[in-house]
Amino acid sequence: MAVQKDRNIRIDYGDPEVTKGVSVLSQQFDELYVYDGADLGLTYTPAHSSFRLWAPTASKAYVLLYSDWHSETPERHPMRRDVKGTWVLQVDGNLAGRYYTYLVQVGEQWNEACDPYATAVGVNGDRAGDCGSSDNKSEAVEGGAPAISPSGRCHQ
């Protein structure tokens, strides 16, 4: 009995031109793309929100903004490549109560993911939320399921 299966899965590390031909498995990649800033994820203010994502192998990156946790139609905002493999975006206006994910293209594959630096998430952690309100506690709703406050659930 075999405990391992041969799988025909292609792992796409992206277009080598994106990383200037440097392999993601090399020490040189680590040296070129290490980012030690303290601003990864969402930086929220009522006037604007700034996003910074570390995705050095991505050829495109977007922030998808959802009006609430169950919305299926997000606003799509393109990010700009910045330093050390990071991508940035600033969205003007108050995003309190909104949810977001990142959408990145690595090679030919598109991936949507929750922000790993999020301090608040929606149902099942599928989408990140912001902490733009002082009311960060979940509230009970009909049926006993938790509802996310307008600003999301903050873990502090």
Side-chain angles (χ1 to χ4, degrees):
M1 177 172 123
V3 293
Q4 294 181 340
K5 293 182 180 181
D6 288 332
R7 299 189 188 269
N8 189 15
I9 298 173
R10 180 175 173 258
I11 298 174
D12 194 342
Y13 293 108
D15 184 345
E17 288 186 26
V18 172
T19 59
K20 301 177 180 88
V22 176
S23 168
V24 297
L25 304 175
S26 72
Q27 179 66 33
Q28 185 182 12
F29 181 88
D30 292 343
E31 292 165 4
L32 285 172
Y33 296 108
V34 66
Y35 182 75
D36 59 2
D39 60 344
L40 288 170
L42 168 66
T43 303
Y44 168 85
T45 70
H48 65 269
S49 294
S50 299
F51 300 85
R52 184 177 294 272
L53 167 69
W54 185 80
T57 60
S59 55
K60 294 180 183 175
Y62 296 88
V63 170
L64 302 182
L65 284 175
Y66 295 88
S67 58
D68 52 47
W69 72 268
H70 57 79
S71 175
E72 294 185 22
T73 309
E75 297 171 14
R76 188 170 162 158
H77 297 268
M79 299 184 83
R80 176 181 52 83
R81 185 180 293 279
D82 201 48
V83 299
K84 299 290 190 175
T86 63
W87 294 78
V88 294
L89 171 69
Q90 181 173 306
V91 178
D92 291 331
N94 191 342
L95 298 184
R98 304 284 300 271
Y99 291 82
Y100 69 99
T101 59
Y102 293 118
L103 178 66
V104 298
Q105 182 180 19
V106 177
E108 296 179 15
Q109 185 174 355
W110 285 93
N111 300 299
E112 183 177 0
C114 184
D115 185 348
Y117 292 92
T119 58
V121 295
V123 175
N124 295 327
D126 290 337
R127 295 181 183 156
D130 68 74
C131 294
S133 166
S134 61
D135 178 20
N136 293 320
K137 296 185 168 89
S138 63
E139 303 165 0
V141 295
E142 185 177 334
I148 306 304
S149 71
S151 65
R153 185 179 308 152
C154 291
H155 303 284
Q156 298 178 14

